[in-house]
Amino acid sequence: MTIDLRRAARWHRPLMIFVSVMAVLAAVCAVGILLDSRVLVGAPIWLKPFKFAVSFVLYGATLAWMLTLLPRRSRAAEWAATVVVAMAVVEMVVIVAQVIRGQTSHFNGTSPLNGALFSVMGAAIMVLFLAHLLIGIVLLIRRIPDRAAATAVGWGLGLSLLGMLAAIPMVLPMQEPGIDGISGAHSVGVVDGGAGLPVVGWSTTGGDLRIGHFVGLHALQALPILAILLSRFATRLDERTRVRLLVVAGAAYGVLTVLLTWQALRGQPLLRPDGLTLVAVAALVVATVTAAGLVLARRSRPELALAA
């Protein structure tokens, strides 16, 4: 399982063009952060499109690479990837347009136009979710020859869908902050725009639903990276053992995503968990280490028998 960046330009063309455009947009937004003094919801006004652009660079490049792992081309997967590009473009156009207008893009129903733009974004995200799901189904059906790669890709795609679903509570009625025209929020227990962690802006005074959303989405990169590291630096492990370790890691990653969302829904800042959250984290760590240890022990038994 490798990544040949020299051939990246030959990966799914619409995705790679989109990745290039997002990289340029991220640079433009970085300049905007430095030169534009406007602040929106407690953060530099160009910070949101910057974060989204960087995220889409990672997302688009990873999807394009995953398509190259298929034993043969799939029109359905490539078509779905093109739909992903189209929906992502819609979302970014709305986000940048609202920045130019000096308006928030999310949860904004303060005017008919703002409400319509937010609805367009919501519809685009739903279509993107379905297209992403279709890509995942195709990759599972077509069976990537490398079992470790197939496991990492399958878990990565599935957990990134979980990360998308983790954003749903942001728009539920319980998240309405009581501000006229605002229909949701990232934070729980506090108003959006308060004290937050550097760059990401996650609340340091209340819960923040963006954390579980972020962690879940980036399983798309985390699990394949782990598979590559195992194949490169754990060469003594057979394929079956590496697959089992990836299953353990994927399950733990999924539980972590749910745990972070649960913590946020209870109004707790990431860095100030209560005793119950700490117990849950400790249980997850113990369960993960135990499961990984059992996998490695099971692998070592035949070698011990031969040595005897």
Side-chain angles (χ1 to χ4, degrees), residues 285-304:
V285 171
V286 170
T288 303
V289 171
T290 301
L294 290 173
V295 168
L296 293 173
R298 184 174 181 180
R299 167 254 176 194
S300 65
R301 283 174 186 168
E303 294 181 1
L304 292 175

Side-chain angles (χ1 to χ4, degrees), residues 13-240:
R13 187 173 296 276
L15 275 172
M16 295 312 294
I17 292 174
F18 174 67
V19 165
S20 300
V21 172
M22 288 300 101
V24 172
L25 178 59
V28 171
C29 292
V31 173
I33 292 171
L34 295 174
L35 300 183
D36 192 336
S37 61
R38 290 180 297 167
V39 173
L40 192 63
V41 195
I45 198 167
W46 286 99
L47 183 59
K48 181 183 285 290
F50 172 78
K51 291 190 294 185
F52 270 75
V54 171
S55 182
F56 272 131
V57 167
L58 296 173
Y59 178 73
T62 305
L63 271 187
W65 167 72
M66 286 179 171
L67 291 177
T68 68
L69 299 177
L70 287 170
R72 60 185 185 278
R73 291 182 61 182
S74 167
R75 289 185 179 181
E78 291 181 357
W79 174 84
T82 302
V83 172
V84 165
V85 170
M87 296 303 101
V89 167
V90 169
E91 184 170 8
M92 289 306 301
V93 166
V94 172
I95 290 173
V96 173
Q98 289 294 73
V99 166
I100 294 172
R101 296 180 64 234
Q103 298 285 326
T104 58
S105 52
H106 289 71
F107 321 124
N108 191 349
T110 55
S111 73
L113 176 58
N114 288 333
L117 289 174
F118 182 48
S119 296
V120 167
M121 287 181 61
I125 292 169
M126 289 179 61
V127 176
L128 187 151
F129 178 92
L130 294 174
H132 180 106
L133 176 61
L134 177 57
I135 293 171
I137 292 172
V138 170
L139 285 167
L140 289 176
I141 292 175
R142 288 294 180 91
R143 295 187 180 277
I144 297 169
D146 185 328
R147 288 182 59 203
T151 302
V153 168
W155 277 94
L157 286 166
L159 291 173
S160 59
L161 286 173
L162 176 63
M164 294 181 194
L165 293 174
I168 290 177
M170 297 181 191
V171 294
L172 295 181
M174 64 180 181
Q175 281 298 95
E176 294 180 0
I179 302 173
D180 188 33
I182 304 300
S183 59
H186 298 125
S187 303
V188 178
V190 294
V191 178
D192 280 353
L197 295 175
V199 183
V200 290
W202 298 337
S203 177
T204 55
T205 57
D208 200 311
L209 293 165
R210 290 174 294 184
I211 302 171
H213 178 55
F214 174 90
V215 170
L217 284 178
H218 289 290
L220 198 67
Q221 292 83 37
L223 272 298
I225 288 173
L226 177 58
I228 292 170
L229 292 175
L230 286 174
S231 66
R232 184 159 299 181
F233 299 108
T235 54
R236 296 182 64 183
L237 297 179
D238 59 274
E239 184 180 55
R240 178 177 295 182

